[in-house]
Amino acid sequence: MADNIVSISLLILSLSAISLTIAIRVVPLFENYENPSFKSNLFDTSKYGRLQLNNGLARTPQMGWNSWNFFACNINETIIKETADALISTGLADLGYVYVNIDDCWSTLTRNSKVQSRPVTFRLSKFSWLVVQGDLVPDPETFPSGIKALADYIHGKGLKLGIYSDAGVFTCQVRPGSLDHENDDAELFASWGIDYLKYDNCFNLGIKPEKRYPPMRKALNATGRTIFYSLCEWGVDDPALWAGVVGNSWRTTDDINDSWASMTTIADLNDKWAAYAGPGGWNDPDMLEVGNGGMTYQEYRAHFSIWALMKAPLLVGCDVRNLTTETLEIVSNEEVIAVNQDSLGVQGRKVSVAGTDECSQVWAGPLSGNRLVVALWNRCSKTVTVTAKWEALGLDPTTSVSVRDLWKHKDVSGDVVALFSAQVESHDCMMYIFTPNTVSRYAI
Ligand SMILES: *[C@@H]1O[C@H](CO)[C@@H](O)[C@H](O)[C@H]1NC(C)=O
Ligand SMILES: *[C@@H]1O[C@H](CO)[C@@H](O)[C@H](O)[C@H]1NC(C)=O
Ligand SMILES: *[C@@H]1O[C@H](CO)[C@@H](O)[C@H](O)[C@H]1NC(C)=O
Ligand SMILES: *[C@@H]1O[C@H](CO)[C@@H](O)[C@H](O)[C@H]1NC(C)=O
């Protein structure tokens, strides 16, 4: 018996010694890419993980579903429950899509008549005030069972429930907002068992986001319930610069719409903030439109590839109760999801462009295990050959690389040197993992 205890303790001791060694050896890779294969300045991570909310969430980008892109205001508890069922039956939940997020329109147009000791008063003009008190109320027509019952249903499936409010007087669809009601609303959400809050930016009275978003962070924290905090101030005040200590993700742009023009514009805007993303806090270029019908199969595949590479939240925005085979194939590509959920958590970015209007593009980023993700994205109007040169990837030109195609699910070559090219159809995106064959100092 005593012998066993000694050997178990020794085992534990040696295991902790191993993990200590691993931790120490991983640090340089996280901080400044002191890896001989990579040029350190290419994937600037100088801001990586510097600001963190530290509520234990968002170690990798959040995954799930949100009601807005497909349903807009036409939601009810049946739809939310059926969506949860569909996330399970399609296998999407098993792939990590666990947040079921209700967007705007779940509440009544006014708060209830609960009298509060200190009603909130907003001065609207010289002679008009808005006095707000009472609690938020789920719409009795569309959510007759209430949000608590819905949360119980969702949790019973092993999923998590998200809700929506606004850092203003009203939400964008003119339901009551949470500005100056942060504590009451956060407590109500926590009492219902809410796991995620998307916090919008309408009717904000012109008060700066830096003033309006932190009180909700404080209020959520004070509930003692762990709640994912998703800031949605539309990139107005460059939230990457300040929101890391406030939320788990922050929108960097206006709303996406289901078009190629919107998707590409937003990808470029979000790219600018790559250095600021990291475990605990992510840039959010808005929810996925894959499956909503406004783009082609190739365009949706590009949308999903680039969102995954950019470490964007993967929040499916279509009707998952009625997925086409093509849509399911795209959003359930495990190899692409693994890029998004990679433990290194460095946002990939646009690294080289060529052609008319820079339409032939290479996007790339470092992954754990000394690997790179490389996307060849053809934004031109006809088929082109897109080429990734090693110097554009931060690789030494003599480095030999193994290449795996994440859409064909095939190893392409075990020994590529200096450059890699592929023919890519108009608006399509090929995605690869590059594994350098040369063993480097920090390879584990
Ligand atoms: C929700 O909407 C669907 C489709 O519009 C409808 O069939 C269903 O009865 C509604 N359920 C509730 C609770 O409103
Ligand atoms: C509250 O904030 C503290 C400090 O960042 C953190 O350690 C704790 O986990 C947070 N609690 C919740 C419930 O978010
Ligand atoms: C979608 O977004 C694009 C690009 O931002 C914009 O030009 C277009 O007007 C938007 N379409 C709609 C219907 O809002
Ligand atoms: C399912 O989606 C197809 C298009 O992919 C559409 O034509 C059909 O109306 C949808 N069915 C339901 C019940 O929403």
Side-chain angles (χ1 to χ4, degrees):
M1 198 55 169
D3 275 1
N4 280 346
I5 290 170
V6 170
S7 54
I8 287 169
S9 330
L10 277 178
L11 181 67
I12 291 171
L13 263 180
S14 45
L15 280 178
S16 29
I18 289 170
S19 53
L20 194 68
T21 322
I22 290 172
I24 288 167
R25 298 185 71 186
V26 167
V27 166
L29 189 62
F30 270 71
E31 283 182 346
N32 52 18
Y33 299 92
E34 274 182 46
N35 186 311
S37 309
F38 298 132
K39 274 188 217 155
S40 58
N41 61 344
L42 200 72
F43 302 109
D44 170 28
T45 52
S46 51
K47 323 289 187 307
Y48 173 97
R50 206 162 65 179
L51 304 172
Q52 279 200 41
L53 174 56
N54 268 329
N55 60 354
L57 298 175
R59 306 317 297 170
T60 59
Q62 66 269 38
M63 291 176 66
W65 172 87
N66 173 292
S67 56
W68 186 259
N69 284 355
F70 182 82
F71 292 99
C73 242
N74 305 313
I75 49 166
N76 65 42
E77 63 184 39
T78 315
I79 290 168
I80 305 297
K81 284 178 171 175
E82 288 177 358
T83 296
D85 298 347
L87 286 171
I88 307 278
S89 64
T90 53
L92 289 175
D94 280 341
L95 293 173
Y97 295 94
V98 294
Y99 284 108
V100 180
N101 293 346
I102 310 173
D103 209 281
D104 206 347
C105 302
W106 61 268
S107 85
T108 49
L109 293 173
T110 53
R111 290 172 179 268
N112 66 14
S113 55
K114 185 174 139 189
V115 176
Q116 276 150 348
S117 49
R118 288 175 51 238
V120 178
T121 308
F122 295 106
R123 181 148 197 178
L124 296 181
S125 69
K126 205 167 172 188
F127 302 109
S128 63
W129 286 266
L130 181 71
V131 180
V132 186
Q133 56 183 344
D135 278 335
L136 295 171
V137 184
D139 188 324
E141 301 266 307
T142 48
F143 290 85
S145 316
I147 304 294
K148 172 81 172 71
L150 191 52
D152 291 345
Y153 183 87
I154 301 287
H155 293 155
K157 303 255 158 191
L159 302 174
K160 294 175 183 298
L161 184 63
I163 208 156
Y164 166 100
S165 190
D166 189 287
V169 194
F170 300 109
T171 71
C172 299
Q173 299 298 315
V174 208
R175 271 64 176 175
S178 292
L179 185 63
D180 275 333
H181 258 279
E182 293 86 358
N183 293 329
D184 292 334
D185 293 354
E187 267 171 40
L188 188 64
F189 297 151
S191 75
W192 288 340
I194 290 295
D195 304 296
Y196 186 112
L197 175 67
K198 173 178 170 181
Y199 206 41
D200 216 338
N201 195 32
C202 286
F203 298 101
N204 57 46
L205 306 181
I207 306 167
K208 282 178 90 61
E210 291 93 315
K211 283 225 175 334
R212 287 177 292 111
Y213 283 81
M216 183 54 93
R217 170 220 136 110
K218 218 173 146 204
L220 290 171
N221 186 278
T223 68
R225 185 174 174 84
T226 303
I227 299 177
F228 194 108
Y229 188 24
S230 155
L231 273 62
C232 180
E233 61 83 275
W234 315 323
V236 171
D237 255 355
D238 297 343
L241 302 179
W242 55 268
V245 287
V246 181
N248 295 114
S249 65
W250 47 87
R251 281 275 300 278
T252 52
T253 70
D254 266 342
D255 283 6
I256 194 170
N257 67 48
D258 190 14
S259 71
W260 168 256
S262 170
M263 188 270 285
T264 50
T265 304
I266 281 181
D268 290 346
L269 290 170
N270 192 62
D271 186 41
K272 177 174 171 193
W273 303 106
Y276 295 85
W282 308 101
N283 291 314
D284 177 2
D286 209 359
M287 303 162 306
L288 297 166
E289 291 283 8
V290 181
N292 282 334
M295 291 182 244
T296 65
Y297 172 74
Q298 286 78 8
E299 291 168 347
Y300 279 142
R301 183 154 83 166
H303 177 19
F304 193 69
S305 300
I306 295 298
W307 260 235
L309 176 145
M310 293 198 297
K311 303 289 186 282
L314 296 182
L315 296 171
V316 173
C318 65
D319 184 0
V320 292
R321 304 169 310 167
N322 183 27
L323 290 173
T324 63
T325 317
E326 285 187 343
T327 299
L328 185 59
E329 183 219 319
I330 293 172
V331 299
S332 63
N333 184 325
E334 286 187 62
E335 296 194 73
V336 175
I337 293 171
V339 166
N340 181 257
Q341 298 290 302
D342 184 67
S343 60
L344 189 60
V346 173
Q347 179 172 330
R349 55 207 85 181
K350 193 187 288 194
V351 295
S352 74
V353 293
T356 319
D357 297 330
E358 308 187 332
C359 66
S360 170
Q361 304 192 346
V362 180
W363 292 58
L367 298 174
S368 61
N370 199 25
R371 301 165 306 149
L372 283 169
V373 55
V374 178
L376 305 184
W377 192 8
N378 176 5
R379 288 163 58 163
C380 316
S381 51
K382 53 178 195 290
T383 301
V384 295
T385 299
V386 186
T387 299
K389 294 185 179 150
W390 270 210
E391 60 253 41
L393 302 173
L395 287 169
D396 185 287
T398 61
T399 309
S400 157
V401 166
S402 299
V403 176
R404 181 169 175 83
D405 185 321
L406 305 188
W407 285 109
K408 297 205 176 95
H409 303 291
K410 267 202 199 121
D411 293 328
V412 177
S413 170
D415 180 19
V416 186
V417 177
L419 56 86
F420 180 80
S421 297
Q423 268 213 344
V424 187
E425 274 182 59
S426 173
H427 293 191
D428 203 354
C429 179
M430 303 284 107
M431 198 167 183
Y432 306 93
I433 285 186
F434 282 22
T435 310
N437 295 317
T438 330
V439 178
S440 68
R441 252 188 312 149
Y442 292 102
I444 291 172

